[in-house]
Amino acid sequence: MAPDPFNSSSSSFILVGVPGLEAFPTCLGVLFCLAYVMALVGNGAVLLVIGLDESLCTPSHRLLAMLAAIDVLMVTAVVPKMLSVLWLNSAEIGYAACFVQMFLVHSATSEESGLLLAMAVDRYVAICHPLRYQTILSVRAIAQMGLAVVLRGLLFMVPLTGLVMALPYCGSRVVPHSYCEHLAVAKLACADPAPAGLYSVAGSSLIVGTDGACIAASYAAILRAALGHGPCRTALSTCGCHLCVVLLFYLPGIVSIYAQHLGSAVSLPARVLLADLYVTLPSTLNPLVYSLRSRPVRQALLRLLLPRGARAPHGGPCFSRRVHPGQGSASCTPGSAHREQEQ
């Protein structure tokens, strides 16, 4: 027997899916299932290759592995339950499970934002300070960056999850969303959810604003260093692709955050679909844009899949090629090493 969503003794919530589009569960499920499979295969391949191939030992590849792990966590926290709602009509989610899902999803988005910033810094150092690349981005520095990114996500979400959990839920338990989005859950409370909403929008704005500004500053420095230098145009092309994915991550996120607060200004189905795409689409595209475009990653994947077949020769560790002092200017010597990594 299905639980009564208005029963105050119920210890679960009811997920609606995509309100207004309940007549299309099969189509929506197929789209999100395909995105989930692509995300798992792409990010899983990246983690496997980087973990097994000793040549992929550069700071940039360690950051790619962190990004892939975060992407797998993010989509796995949302899509399986979303598919059970759409295909199996299993809309019930336990009270504790709902808040765990909320914590994982929103902390992962914060951590992904921090990793995108770390990757922008990595490209800045590789292009503008190539001779000091290994010194600046040492193993210890990358570990500290990763730890800082994770701690920031946890410190942001612990108070927010506590604020939402502390609210009394004595009325409807029907969450008009595909997953336990924190504002959608908080609006079901019998008390005023304004403190949780204010903390959410202030914290999200601070994180997105700070990371976005630093990423923009990094790319501005890269552009200033590379313009006018032929060998660096490939790096600019690669950075352009990366910027597209950065915008794909931030723009839906910003619109989704403020759309939840604007309420009637954006239709409910549009808000839910936007939030769903914000969680699934970057995780699906990141392996294609960030990782599989990298020549060393592609070669390592071929060595793994075709150990005896025709493949590119093993090139050794990345960034092994030397940059001679006479080649180009000091600010634009990433030519060979950086292009070898990204192409």
Side-chain angles (χ1 to χ4, degrees):
M1 181 176 177
D4 181 3
F6 292 91
N7 185 357
S8 61
S9 65
S10 174
S11 59
S12 61
F13 292 96
I14 306 297
L15 296 173
V16 171
V18 182
L21 298 179
E22 292 90 349
F24 307 98
T26 302
C27 296
L28 289 173
V30 168
L31 290 176
F32 285 110
C33 183
L34 287 175
Y36 183 53
V37 171
M38 290 178 62
L40 287 184
V41 172
N43 290 293
V46 171
L47 287 170
L48 185 64
V49 168
I50 293 178
L52 294 179
D53 198 298
E54 294 181 357
S55 69
L56 303 180
C57 57
T58 67
S60 61
H61 292 120
R62 295 188 180 100
L63 292 174
L64 287 176
M66 294 180 196
L67 183 67
I70 292 297
D71 283 338
V72 169
L73 173 65
M74 189 186 304
V75 294
T76 302
V78 171
V79 178
K81 183 58 185 178
M82 185 190 304
L83 294 179
S84 74
V85 173
L86 295 173
W87 284 349
L88 305 177
N89 201 27
S90 177
E92 184 178 355
I93 183 171
Y95 185 86
C98 181
F99 289 107
V100 169
Q101 185 188 59
M102 179 191 305
F103 181 86
L104 291 177
V105 171
H106 293 296
S107 61
T109 56
S110 172
E111 290 160 9
E112 179 147 344
S113 177
L115 282 174
L116 292 178
L117 171 58
M119 294 169 74
V121 172
D122 170 80
R123 281 185 289 279
Y124 165 76
V125 176
I127 291 177
C128 298
H129 303 284
L131 300 180
R132 300 175 55 205
Y133 180 81
Q134 295 288 353
T135 303
I136 296 174
L137 296 179
S138 62
V139 175
R140 181 178 180 181
I142 292 297
Q144 290 174 341
M145 290 169 65
L147 181 60
V149 164
V150 172
L151 286 178
R152 188 187 68 169
L154 297 178
L155 291 175
F156 168 65
M157 274 308 297
V158 166
L160 179 58
T161 306
L163 286 172
V164 179
M165 287 185 67
L167 295 171
Y169 296 94
C170 53
S172 172
R173 298 295 183 101
V174 178
V175 181
H177 215 289
S178 302
Y179 61 92
C180 288
E181 200 276 333
H182 65 281
L183 286 178
V185 174
K187 289 178 181 178
L188 299 178
C190 302
D192 184 12
L198 181 61
Y199 177 87
S200 169
V201 72
S204 300
S205 300
L206 179 62
I207 289 174
V208 171
T210 303
D211 291 352
C214 292
I215 290 173
S218 297
Y219 280 112
I222 291 172
L223 184 66
R224 187 168 54 250
L227 279 179
H229 297 274
C232 291
R233 286 172 187 165
T234 302
L236 282 178
S237 174
T238 301
C239 290
C241 294
H242 292 172
L243 274 176
C244 290
V245 177
V246 168
L247 292 175
L248 187 64
F249 176 77
Y250 281 115
L251 289 181
I254 294 171
V255 174
S256 177
I257 291 170
Y258 290 102
Q260 295 288 340
H261 290 273
L262 293 175
S264 59
V266 182
S267 67
L268 183 58
R271 296 201 306 266
V272 174
L273 281 175
L274 197 60
D276 292 342
L277 290 176
Y278 174 56
V279 172
T280 57
L281 198 56
S283 301
T284 304
L285 296 181
N286 281 343
L288 301 176
V289 175
Y290 282 112
S291 302
L292 299 181
R293 289 185 75 251
S294 169
R295 181 184 297 170
V297 173
R298 291 200 306 268
Q299 291 176 345
L301 187 59
L302 286 176
R303 288 195 294 272
L304 184 64
L305 297 177
L306 305 171
R308 297 174 184 238
R311 59 178 183 261
H314 185 45
C318 306
F319 290 93
S320 60
R321 197 179 298 177
R322 293 185 180 180
V323 180
H324 298 287
Q327 295 177 348
S329 66
S331 64
C332 204
T333 49
S336 59
H338 189 67
R339 287 202 305 276
E340 179 181 316
Q341 174 196 359
E342 297 292 350
Q343 287 178 351

